[in-house]
Amino acid sequence: RALSGVNQVKDDDWTRFLITGSTDGIGKHTAHLIAKLGATVLVHGRSPERVQLTQLEIQQQSGNANVHGYVADFASLEGVRQLSRDIHQNHSSLDVLINNAGVLETKRMESVDGYEMTFAVNVLSPFYLTSLLLDLLKKGNAPRLINVASISQACRIDFDDLQFQMNYGNGVPAYELSKLCNIMFTYMMAEKFQPCGMTVNTLDPGTVNTKMLLKSWGSIGVSVEEAGYEYNLATSSAYDNVTGKYFVYNQDAMSSHVSYDKKKQQKLWDILVKMTGAKFD
């Protein structure tokens, strides 16, 4: 559901950015930086209290009243649908979508829809949300889609065990698979959406001491305040006509070899469409 901001949403607001998972970590830091540009920023989280606090904090610190909060639980496909409905109700277009939300569950859990939780939140939700917001992105000004992946990505994909029914372990393999899937569907989206003028890219956001990193790998990265790769890819004119790329440290990089396999990209795409019911023009 939408949370009211200081000002009502205006149809003539400057560039609109939606950043999922932006009540903490890199997503929140990116939202702060973009708000300082004067853009309209849509922050998202699953906790109403945290969304409201983040919205007010960014408004106050950036001096930008056009920061709006949205609540949706990505452990549910209905939550994704509700987020789309709320955004459609308040906005006529969307210029940049950053699919940033992600989890790493150390114990296997299932979503409301019966899917392994990391796969549900990290793969199904951004894939589905993109399909639901595609009409708004098509109306945007030089629209950009950014799917946040990771340098910690799998090097193989087992289509018979995407849900990690066995050998879940500490959750890292499921996370790495989810990031490989993000990259694979990014490459397909880049091809599919190019005719409408949209750029689609993916990146490793950097080794940053977020709660997720600290929980699974320890303090091996830089502070959240030093994280700028998402912001750069979302706002720099250097990427105006760049699409279908994977970036590490702001540089075009190679992802896992399997991610370039067209047949496996298509197979994954078909599976995700079947799981979510997503429709792409």
Side-chain angles (χ1 to χ4, degrees):
R1 59 190 175 88
L3 297 179
S4 59
V6 173
N7 289 348
Q8 294 296 316
V9 176
K10 301 176 183 178
D11 285 337
D12 59 351
D13 281 344
W14 188 65
T15 306
R16 294 184 182 91
F17 292 76
L18 168 60
I19 309 165
T20 66
S22 47
T23 60
D24 192 29
I26 299 171
K28 181 178 179 181
H29 177 61
T30 302
H32 267 282
L33 294 176
I34 292 173
K36 289 179 181 178
L37 297 176
T40 294
V41 179
L42 314 184
V43 297
H44 155 262
R46 63 181 178 179
S47 163
E49 294 76 18
R50 289 179 63 184
V51 169
Q52 188 168 42
L53 286 173
T54 300
Q55 175 189 353
L56 293 174
E57 177 185 329
I58 295 175
Q59 286 175 335
Q60 292 168 359
Q61 294 187 7
S62 67
N64 182 351
N66 286 320
V67 179
H68 308 278
Y70 289 87
V71 178
D73 186 354
F74 278 6
S76 161
L77 292 175
E78 173 55 31
V80 178
R81 285 191 289 270
Q82 186 59 54
L83 176 60
S84 172
R85 288 192 286 265
D86 291 339
I87 291 173
H88 275 88
Q89 183 176 355
N90 291 316
H91 301 278
S92 59
S93 65
L94 189 63
D95 302 289
V96 181
L97 168 58
I98 305 178
N99 282 315
N100 168 81
V103 298
L104 193 168
E105 299 295 350
T106 56
K107 294 183 179 180
R108 190 183 187 282
M109 298 187 294
E110 291 190 351
S111 69
V112 173
D113 305 291
Y115 299 117
E116 188 275 313
M117 187 67 76
T118 299
F119 191 84
V121 174
N122 295 9
V123 183
L124 297 180
S125 290
F127 182 83
Y128 190 33
L129 181 64
T130 299
S131 75
L132 296 173
L133 297 180
L134 191 56
D135 61 324
L136 297 186
L137 286 164
K138 287 180 177 180
K139 297 175 184 176
N141 177 30
R144 297 185 184 190
L145 170 62
I146 298 170
N147 297 317
V148 178
S150 174
I151 200 168
S152 298
Q153 61 198 251
C155 60
R156 62 183 296 274
I157 182 167
D158 182 356
F159 289 107
D160 294 325
D161 194 24
L162 293 176
Q163 302 301 303
F164 276 85
Q165 296 285 359
M166 300 178 64
N167 302 319
Y168 187 79
N170 62 2
V172 172
Y175 176 81
E176 293 175 338
L177 173 66
S178 75
K179 297 294 107 176
L180 171 63
C181 291
N182 291 154
I183 294 169
M184 292 175 73
F185 72 62
T186 293
Y187 291 156
M188 284 207 70
M189 286 180 176
E191 291 186 11
K192 289 179 178 292
F193 302 165
Q194 194 165 19
C196 63
M198 187 188 313
T199 63
V200 187
N201 293 292
T202 183
L203 81 162
D204 169 66
T207 305
V208 182
N209 287 333
T210 61
K211 291 179 181 178
M212 182 188 298
L213 186 84
L214 294 173
K215 179 173 68 174
S216 297
W217 287 279
S219 181
I220 60 173
V222 300
S223 68
V224 172
E225 290 71 24
E226 296 178 74
Y229 300 133
E230 283 186 32
Y231 169 77
N232 189 54
L233 187 55
T235 61
S236 173
S237 60
Y239 306 104
D240 283 350
N241 300 304
V242 177
T243 193
K245 300 294 184 181
Y246 165 64
F247 292 94
V248 178
Y249 303 124
N250 288 332
Q251 301 295 319
D252 184 2
M254 295 292 292
S255 53
S256 293
H257 180 74
V258 68
S259 67
Y260 298 101
D261 187 317
K262 297 286 188 181
K263 291 183 178 179
K264 290 182 178 179
Q265 287 177 10
Q266 186 64 59
K267 186 171 184 177
L268 174 65
W269 185 278
D270 293 342
I271 289 171
L272 299 183
V273 166
K274 184 175 181 180
M275 285 181 167
T276 62
K279 297 180 180 179
F280 294 90
D281 293 335

